[in-house]
Amino acid sequence: MPVTAFHRLVCPLDGQPLTRQNTAWQCPQGHSFDIARQGYVHLLPVQKKRSKDPGDSKAMVAARQRFLNAGYYRSIADALNKAVMPGLPTDAACLDAGCGEGYYLRQLGHAVPEGIEMQVLGLDVSKWAALSAAKQDPAPAWVVGTNAHIPVPDNSLDRVLCVFGFPVFDEFARVLKPGGRLIMVDPGSDHLRELRDIIYPSVTERPEGERVVPESFQEESRETVRETIVLEGGSNIADLLAMTPHLYRAPAEGLARAAELTRLQLTLDVRIQVLEVT
Ligand SMILES: C[S@@+](CC[C@H](N)C(=O)[O-])C[C@H]1O[C@@H](n2cnc3c(N)ncnc32)[C@H](O)[C@@H]1O
Ligand SMILES: [Zn+2]
């Protein structure tokens, strides 16, 4: 089996290694974290929660699950998988930091070549995301936690993925092994432009500028995924809106215009940047 769960978790309260006992993870100090029926574990201490139900809501996660499983972002997943592979050791460990409902790790699981054993961890601050991910694929480890305090030891990962996420570069550098790589996936200036043209009165140009390379990293490569997709049916368009911040940002008139659409042609414009820890 090429994909297995990453098991080197640490206690979010004191950083001690966690050991799995039947239905809980425990640290030597006696802190215990129950494994949910669906298979994920909650490692976000109450004092590090910034709200009662942090991260994406149940409805956003459900919309993203339907939209991604329909395959609209398949080209992004394929390009991400290609970026992950070069230089991968035969016993690799990979984290998706802000994994959502797990689409990109599921796709990665299908792409791992024979001869490579990959231990995989999906981390998200939303319990709805971890729950949905665990239900869809029991092979990876799924953890509720934050990118600000990733519950794994220093130098323990070969790859960290951050897909439309919230990077914490110091923390990514801490958890990566020497020579490990961070793969960032971010929207370019034309991403979903047609949707933005419909829902906002005027779309402000977002100049691309030079992508800054964060401290402790050097750039290995960058590429652009550019493609046109067509969404058929109001429910797919509604799902896309619900999984983006636009649903909360756009004015009511804009959302009303989007609600009337039955077909939408859209540009995907996404940057994939590979950064190696120095
Ligand atoms: C735009 S979604 C992207 C999800 C997934 N990577 C995808 O592309 O399908 C951003 C995700 O980051 C999560 N998130 C927000 N703040 C986070 C944090 N501090 N640590 C980990 N995840 C976080 C949200 O709950 C949400 O699932
Ligand atoms: Zn502990």
Side-chain angles (χ1 to χ4, degrees):
M1 230 193 5
V3 169
T4 55
F6 179 85
H7 273 165
R8 293 183 61 200
L9 300 174
V10 300
C11 175
L13 300 171
D14 51 35
Q16 301 273 315
L18 292 175
T19 326
R20 191 179 170 148
Q21 322 276 0
N22 294 328
T23 58
W25 287 90
Q26 283 172 354
C27 92
Q29 302 298 321
H31 301 123
S32 183
F33 304 90
D34 290 342
I35 299 165
R37 189 167 40 87
Q38 297 83 359
Y40 68 91
V41 62
H42 200 296
L43 296 181
L44 185 67
V46 183
Q47 57 272 35
K48 286 181 185 153
K49 267 194 182 183
R50 289 164 68 196
S51 78
K52 213 162 160 260
D53 190 14
D56 280 9
S57 66
K58 188 177 181 181
M60 285 174 89
V61 168
R64 182 171 297 114
Q65 177 179 337
R66 287 189 296 268
F67 182 87
L68 292 176
N69 282 338
Y72 292 116
Y73 277 13
R74 181 63 197 264
S75 56
I76 302 172
D78 288 346
L80 171 62
N81 291 343
K82 263 174 76 182
V84 167
M85 300 305 168
L88 209 59
T90 51
D91 59 338
C94 177
L95 162 71
D96 187 350
C99 60
E101 55 69 63
Y103 175 73
Y104 295 96
L105 281 186
R106 290 195 295 283
Q107 297 301 318
L108 180 63
H110 300 313
V112 175
E114 280 294 313
I116 291 192
E117 290 264 329
M118 192 184 277
Q119 293 193 5
V120 175
L121 167 63
L123 177 78
D124 201 285
V125 81
S126 159
K127 75 163 184 235
W128 305 111
L131 192 153
S132 165
K135 274 187 178 168
Q136 294 181 79
D137 186 358
W142 300 108
V143 170
V144 180
T146 166
N147 290 349
H149 306 278
I150 300 172
V152 306
D154 298 357
N155 308 326
S156 56
L157 296 161
D158 298 285
R159 298 287 180 272
V160 172
L161 320 180
C162 186
V163 184
F164 303 114
F166 299 90
V168 181
F169 293 108
D170 291 355
E171 190 61 357
F172 292 166
R174 178 186 72 79
V175 298
L176 279 165
K177 292 178 191 167
R181 290 177 178 183
L182 167 64
I183 294 136
M184 296 287 301
V185 177
D186 290 299
S189 55
D190 286 338
H191 192 53
L192 309 180
R193 172 178 283 270
E194 299 84 348
L195 179 65
R196 288 185 281 129
D197 283 343
I198 290 167
I199 61 177
Y200 295 108
S202 66
V203 174
T204 33
E205 285 301 319
R206 292 185 302 185
E208 283 271 305
E210 265 303 285
R211 281 203 172 221
V212 202
V213 175
E215 216 176 299
S216 313
F217 289 93
Q218 68 189 24
E219 189 175 76
E220 281 298 306
S221 65
R222 76 171 80 175
E223 68 160 309
T224 298
V225 176
R226 208 179 163 94
E227 195 185 88
T228 303
I229 61 168
V230 179
L231 304 195
E232 298 283 0
S235 62
N236 289 318
I237 300 168
D239 280 344
L240 175 61
L241 263 175
M243 66 184 243
T244 65
H246 298 307
L247 190 59
Y248 301 99
R249 285 195 200 136
E253 313 83 75
L255 293 176
R257 281 194 294 278
E260 284 175 8
L261 300 170
T262 53
R263 182 178 193 278
L264 179 61
Q265 182 167 316
L266 279 173
T267 303
L268 305 186
D269 173 26
V270 173
R271 307 279 171 276
I272 299 189
Q273 194 183 21
V274 179
L275 300 164
E276 186 164 304
V277 74
T278 51

